[in-house]
Amino acid sequence: HTWNFWCCCPRCRDPAEGGANLSGLTCSPSCPGVVLPLSPLDCDSDWVCTECGQSRTDMQAQQVMQQALTEINSFSKENIKAEELEEIICRLEKLLCSTHYVLMEIQQKLMMVYMQMKVVDRPAKDRKIQLCHNILQYMDKIDPDNENSQKRQRVRSCLVEAKLEVLTQDYRMGIVNKNRLAKALGEKQELMC
């Protein structure tokens, strides 16, 4: 739509966008379903939950997106901190499905913040690993044929580094054995080749 034409490829015609759910909204706190447009190529299409079947008008879906943008804009864009990005994600997860393109963009920004800062505590390292997994799954769905892109390689590298840090820490504490640590070292060496 921003390119001034409607794409009619199979992914754009599919309400779930090939399983990516890039425009999916949450249904309600009691329903785990994803709310998607019935006809994605019709800008006035109703939206329906994949689980409970509850429907929303296009205007209601637009209001949810507007509310999400208001949440995002309530934070400063300059020198945003990891904690602020986590807060945005927490707020948006009440409105948007976990693979919505806006949430994925913010998760990628958060991952970059974690990569730039020296992450020392275990919960932050675990979160970094989780973000890398989320982003790689997202990339697999939206661009499955671009396995060797620079961006995907950076995310993989970040994932391997974070896993290696955690496993090294766990090895020193006697929680994991040498084999798991050796496997992670092998993954790092594989990436470097």
Side-chain angles (χ1 to χ4, degrees), residues 157-189:
S157 179
C158 178
L159 174 61
V160 168
E161 286 291 331
K163 283 170 65 175
L164 193 54
E165 286 177 23
V166 166
L167 286 171
T168 301
Q169 184 180 4
D170 287 352
Y171 175 74
R172 287 182 182 143
M173 295 170 58
I175 298 172
V176 298
N177 63 29
K178 273 186 186 179
N179 293 341
R180 277 197 59 202
L181 186 58
K183 183 179 175 187
L185 282 167
E187 286 179 33
K188 182 178 180 176
Q189 287 174 336

Side-chain angles (χ1 to χ4, degrees), residues 42-68:
D42 175 3
C43 61
D44 295 323
S45 172
D46 282 345
W47 292 54
V48 176
C49 176
T50 57
E51 290 287 318
C52 70
Q54 181 181 4
S55 71
R56 294 182 184 172
T57 65
D58 178 60
M59 183 63 75
Q60 290 169 317
Q62 286 179 32
Q63 288 171 342
V64 170
M65 263 318 286
Q66 190 57 49
Q67 186 179 353

